[in-house]
Amino acid sequence: MKMITGGAFQGKTSYAVHNFGILAENIKDGEKCGFDEVFGAKCIVNYHLLVKRLIDNGVEPMEFTEQLCSENSDMVVIINEIGCGIVPIEKSERIWREQVGRCGCIIAGKSQEVVRVIGGIGVVIKGGI
Amino acid sequence: MTVLVSGGSKCGKSRYAEDIISKSGIDKKYYIATMQPFGEEAHLAIERHRKMREGKGFLTLEQYTDIEKAEISLQSAVLIECMGNLCANEMFSDSAVEDPVSKIVSGIKKLSERAGLLVIVTNEVFSDGIEYESGTMEYIKAMGEINSRISAFADVVTECVYGIPVAVKGDV
């Protein structure tokens, strides 16, 4: 399992395509794909948005993430960094932000390689060669 | 040794900071809590952190402001959690001080000279790109200055990214 993170619009998906051999047609988008689809996906983008949809649909995101990691341990997960700001006033946004942090820690913990992409450049922060 | 651990929301920085203290082998360990127990979410957060520390031998000191007054023994291991709350308390409480940045930084410096190992957990609050009203912008600016000034004398500065420690300065 591999994880790619970083801010928005940094070239994370492009990094997955070029460095991890992911084909565009094999990428599932966490913003809109079915929850079942990610279990067979080679690559999932916008995992932070999937977390939001899980919360909105009453699914416990950490349990879902644990299960996904154990059933699809060869996937590449792309998740934005969203936690580096002021605590949101809106409770639902606070919960989402915290759940993204915790789910991201689960995925990073189980990944052999974690890359942080800044300005299109990947910095390997865990594992790698 | 002084270590500054930064990171965003729920990035595993507390766990990492506790690990540094535990691995130090220093017997006398303090946990300086700066979060005031107001509201349900604060209580939940405090309870969660308390559970995480359980059995690790920390003596908890509550120090919501005036960090320099924390009574720690010489050469002890000290974990301060967290700068975001300490800074907010100094800036926005009834007894708000004129120059919270200098007050906090000199307090931390004083503790760093007394402790054998000082680990400070701080917060990355700088990158959501939102232009807040002036009070919040002042707070973000103060946090940036505090982090910079502590980083200048800290031996180690680390940023936690989804649980992974990324070295910024030095190494533990």
Side-chain angles (χ1 to χ4, degrees):
Chain A
M1 203 161 93
K2 296 181 174 78
M3 170 170 160
I4 302 172
T5 189
F9 308 110
Q10 296 301 304
K12 298 184 294 297
T13 306
S14 169
Y15 187 94
V17 169
H18 290 108
N19 295 277
F20 295 151
I22 298 292
L23 302 173
E25 61 263 35
N26 289 333
I27 299 175
K28 295 288 176 203
D29 188 346
E31 188 178 9
K32 53 185 182 229
C33 70
F35 296 159
D36 291 346
E37 286 184 82
V38 295
F39 286 85
K42 289 203 164 58
C43 178
I44 305 157
V45 294
N46 291 324
Y47 198 84
H48 58 293
L49 297 179
L50 181 71
V51 170
K52 185 173 247 171
R53 291 171 56 226
L54 290 169
I55 297 168
D56 290 346
N57 286 279
V59 182
E60 213 289 307
M62 289 170 75
E63 283 173 19
F64 183 93
T65 302
E66 291 274 8
Q67 198 189 338
L68 174 63
C69 289
S70 64
E71 289 184 25
N72 190 3
S73 57
D74 285 330
M75 64 183 170
V76 175
V77 180
I78 302 177
I79 178 169
N80 287 21
E81 275 186 85
I82 64 155
C84 295
I86 293 293
V87 179
I89 292 171
E90 193 65 44
K91 187 174 181 182
S92 63
E93 285 181 33
R94 285 201 297 279
I95 291 170
W96 171 54
R97 194 175 83 130
E98 293 185 357
Q99 288 296 334
V100 169
R102 295 197 175 112
C103 291
C105 285
I106 293 170
I107 298 164
K110 292 179 190 292
S111 290
Q112 288 85 42
E113 183 170 351
V114 179
V115 183
R116 191 186 205 188
V117 180
I118 299 165
I121 297 166
V123 180
V124 177
I125 59 173
K126 179 184 177 183
I129 37 166
Chain B
M1 182 156 81
T2 302
V3 181
L4 185 69
V5 179
S6 193
S9 171
K10 306 297 171 269
C11 67
K13 54 191 184 296
S14 305
R15 186 174 298 275
Y16 179 69
E18 280 178 22
D19 284 350
I20 296 172
I21 298 265
S22 296
K23 283 178 190 158
S24 73
I26 299 173
D27 265 352
K28 193 81 185 166
K29 295 192 272 285
Y30 294 95
Y31 179 86
I32 305 183
T34 63
M35 181 190 253
Q36 304 187 69
F38 294 154
E40 185 203 356
E41 282 177 60
H43 275 113
L44 286 173
I46 289 167
E47 195 45 45
R48 203 169 42 76
H49 283 243
R50 191 171 286 157
K51 280 220 175 88
M52 207 157 86
R53 288 198 308 279
E54 223 166 43
K56 292 181 182 170
F58 281 95
L59 185 68
T60 302
L61 305 176
E62 280 156 10
Q63 199 73 49
Y64 308 136
T65 57
D66 309 307
I67 197 71
E68 70 284 356
K69 290 183 185 158
E71 290 185 20
I72 58 160
S73 57
L74 213 56
Q75 294 303 315
S76 54
V78 181
L79 173 54
I80 300 177
E81 179 147 36
C82 64
M83 187 53 70
N85 280 303
L86 178 64
C87 181
N89 295 341
E90 290 286 10
M91 287 181 76
F92 305 123
S93 68
D94 294 340
S95 54
V97 291
E98 185 133 335
D99 186 357
V101 173
S102 295
K103 183 186 175 188
I104 290 169
V105 173
S106 64
I108 295 288
K109 181 94 179 111
K110 191 181 150 201
L111 295 181
S112 77
E113 284 156 10
R114 191 163 173 79
L117 170 63
L118 177 67
V119 182
I120 308 132
V121 174
T122 188
N123 314 77
E124 285 298 307
V125 294
F126 314 104
S127 310
D128 60 14
I130 300 169
E131 188 75 21
Y132 294 93
E133 37 60 57
S134 62
T136 305
M137 294 310 285
E138 280 299 316
Y139 171 77
I140 297 172
K141 186 176 173 217
M143 284 293 287
E145 281 185 36
I146 290 166
N147 285 356
S148 304
R149 285 170 62 178
I150 294 173
S151 295
F153 68 80
D155 304 282
V156 175
V157 180
T158 306
E159 182 191 3
C160 280
V161 180
Y162 288 125
I164 299 164
V166 178
V168 179
K169 175 184 177 180
D171 214 342
V172 282

